[in-house]
Amino acid sequence: QVQLVESGGGSAQSGGSLRLSCEASGFTYSSSAMGWFRQAPGREREGVALIHRSGFTRYADSVKGRFTVSQDNAKNTVYLQMNSLKPEDTAMYYCAADPKGWLVFTPANFDFWGQGTQVTVSS
């Protein structure tokens, strides 16, 4: 049974930083991709950052230069370091896993999802 558990959300002021973690269990595909998505109230879920198990990454334009996705394959854990946070980054952040390893920002491509962790950025 695949489980993704996010942690690290919370509140920050504009310009601050937060680090999210996503620990995966029951998921050891060798060519998989992990993704971070977010959803604000009244808005569609959008992709933030993706990382292939090989280390290749992709970022949404809105977070390039501010967010960094990384992974520790030995721990089956993916991280999202968020710097220079803005109020518009406020959302529920979700971790997702795609066994196929496609680095595309399409939520439907991801088979497994975490429960989400809230990030709130105040101005």
Side-chain angles (χ1 to χ4, degrees), residues 5-53:
V5 180
E6 302 100 332
S7 60
S11 298
Q13 290 197 329
S14 183
S17 298
L18 286 172
R19 188 193 195 207
L20 307 183
S21 299
C22 172
E23 182 173 359
S25 59
F27 183 78
T28 55
Y29 297 91
S30 60
S31 298
S32 59
M34 300 289 290
W36 286 99
F37 291 78
R38 66 187 180 187
Q39 188 166 19
R43 302 191 66 176
E44 291 187 355
R45 190 167 296 189
E46 63 173 354
V48 175
L50 308 173
I51 185 165
H52 192 270
R53 198 167 180 88

Side-chain angles (χ1 to χ4, degrees), residues 52-109:
H52 192 270
R53 198 167 180 88
S54 64
F56 193 80
T57 59
R58 284 189 66 190
Y59 295 92
D61 288 343
S62 58
V63 305
K64 278 181 183 176
R66 301 189 299 121
F67 291 11
T68 302
V69 61
S70 61
Q71 64 189 355
D72 184 332
N73 288 339
K75 295 182 179 179
N76 261 0
T77 301
V78 176
Y79 306 95
L80 184 67
Q81 177 67 44
M82 304 184 294
N83 298 329
S84 301
L85 283 164
K86 303 175 180 180
E88 51 263 45
D89 294 319
T90 295
M92 184 72 80
Y93 282 71
Y94 298 90
C95 172
D98 173 18
K100 303 180 298 299
W102 297 353
L103 286 175
V104 292
F105 286 120
T106 305
N109 281 337

